[in-house]
Amino acid sequence: MDFASSDRAATQPTEITSAKIVIAGGFGVGKTTLVGAVSEIEPLTTEAVMTSAGAGIDDASKVPGKATTTVAMDFGRITMADDLILYLFGTPGQTRFWFMWDELIRGAVGAAVLVDTRRLTDAFAPLDYFENRHLPYLVAVNCFDDAPRYEPEEVREALAIPAHVPLLMCDARHRDSVKAVLIGVVEHAMATLVAEHEKGHPAPVG
Amino acid sequence: MTEPHDPRGNLVRPYAVTRGRTEPIRDIPIEAVLVAGSAAVQEARFAGHDKYRIALLCEPKAQSLAELAALTRLPLGVARVLVADMVADGLLTLHSAAPRTGFSERMDLLGRVLGGLRKL
Ligand SMILES: Nc1nc2c(ncn2[C@@H]2O[C@H](COP(=O)(O)OP(=O)(O)O)[C@@H](O)[C@H]2O)c(=O)[nH]1
Ligand SMILES: [Mg+2]
């Protein structure tokens, strides 16, 4: 044991706030790549045990006879200050694990839905999900090298993305590009919050 | 910054944990961070292997519930029960997730996150 660290706790700020941004999208769309491009740690994976029906459980032995699945999600961390940490959570690839998505978005600042133009239809389920939740989100088109190039407005039309949802192009491998996506999410969250406040009925997030 | 509710309100008693962690606790957000003082780490030596590992991880650096689950390779639900238990026993300090209500509180947080991202 390292007893020399006994006064470390005293140097911790009294209250540390942590926030999260959710990175959603289908399998292979670049979520882990995006998280890794800005995270200070190698993206970590956490696992939750689910019944096959999709309800989250904590102990598989509690539901004998029911098939269970392990659903994995990965995440990264950006320590912004002694008292502020931002986490980036990638959704599980399979959109059928709605339970896990609900847990992930609860209390989130906002979300980015990543889209791969080679498999546009994979984006429908995530987009539907966010359209029916009260969480500010934007769409980020991940520009794979061998993907057909579309104008942003073509993607918006093809996916029927509402006008109030920001859409931008990105490269999930590049830090500056990912930074721009995350800044876009937060700016959109601020604009949404201000608009709700002016209308006089702010709703809680998530 | 105040929590909307006290997450310790719904705790399972320790016996529930030792009997197979049957009570799922959903109160601790996955991104909420936990910290252990060095005295608490010493105390956690006697709290069982997994709790001791969790305490050790939270001493040098604040760690989220998600990080604790990932680093200990425990399923999220199991880590959540252990962590909630440790908070109740004073082995870990639970810090707050982003405020979900209050216009100025939420704007302040968004502004700070935006500033942090711009500095990246
Ligand atoms: N060319 C290119 N490849 C990418 C990009 N983003 C991700 N990839 C690759 O696509 C594959 C899937 O990415 P991954 O981040 O694992 O997707 P996830 O399933 O959404 O987490 C990996 O081999 C990445 O290296 C990108 O912007 N451009
Ligand atoms: Mg991934």
Side-chain angles (χ1 to χ4, degrees), chain B residues 54-67:
Chain B
I54 288 171
L56 283 176
L57 286 166
C58 294
E59 198 205 3
K61 181 178 170 188
Q63 305 274 12
S64 61
L65 172 61
E67 282 168 303

Side-chain angles (χ1 to χ4, degrees), chain A residues 151-193:
Chain A
E151 291 302 316
E153 287 319 302
E154 293 179 281
V155 176
R156 184 183 290 280
E157 198 176 321
L159 292 175
I161 296 165
H164 66 87
V165 176
L167 185 144
L168 43 89
M169 314 303 258
C170 76
D171 187 322
R173 297 165 301 179
H174 295 137
R175 188 179 171 86
D176 283 341
S177 183
V178 171
K179 218 177 112 170
V181 170
L182 299 176
I183 287 172
V185 170
V186 178
E187 285 178 341
H188 181 49
M190 291 176 105
T192 306
L193 186 56

Side-chain angles (χ1 to χ4, degrees), chain B residues 8 10-18 23 25 81 85 88-89:
Chain B
R8 287 163 294 190
N10 298 331
L11 269 185
V12 289
R13 299 316 314 155
Y15 73 80
V17 178
T18 54
E23 289 298 313
I25 298 177
V81 171
D85 207 14
D89 289 343

Side-chain angles (χ1 to χ4, degrees), chain A residues 54-186:
Chain A
I57 56 164
D58 292 286
D59 182 358
S61 66
K62 210 187 168 189
V63 282
K66 269 195 197 161
T68 58
T69 321
T70 298
V71 54
M73 62 223 134
D74 40 35
F75 61 96
R77 165 175 174 149
I78 302 170
T79 304
M80 297 186 147
D82 279 353
D83 62 347
L84 181 64
I85 305 171
L86 177 68
Y87 288 97
L88 305 174
F89 280 90
T91 56
Q94 311 92 319
T95 43
R96 63 199 165 93
F97 293 130
W98 295 125
F99 160 80
M100 211 58 238
W101 287 53
D102 288 345
E103 157 132 22
L104 279 178
I105 70 159
R106 199 180 310 132
V109 159
V113 180
L114 264 184
V115 171
D116 176 352
T117 54
R118 296 169 303 181
R119 290 170 301 159
L120 271 184
T121 52
D122 285 3
F124 284 124
L127 289 170
D128 280 349
Y129 177 86
F130 284 103
E131 200 44 44
N132 293 301
R133 294 297 186 290
H134 189 90
L135 183 74
Y137 71 97
L138 57 69
V139 176
V141 179
N142 192 13
C143 301
F144 285 83
D145 302 326
D146 54 342
R149 299 282 139 165
Y150 295 102
E151 291 302 316
E153 287 319 302
E154 293 179 281
V155 176
R156 184 183 290 280
E157 198 176 321
L159 292 175
I161 296 165
H164 66 87
V165 176
L167 185 144
L168 43 89
M169 314 303 258
C170 76
D171 187 322
R173 297 165 301 179
H174 295 137
R175 188 179 171 86
D176 283 341
S177 183
V178 171
K179 218 177 112 170
V181 170
L182 299 176
I183 287 172
V185 170
V186 178

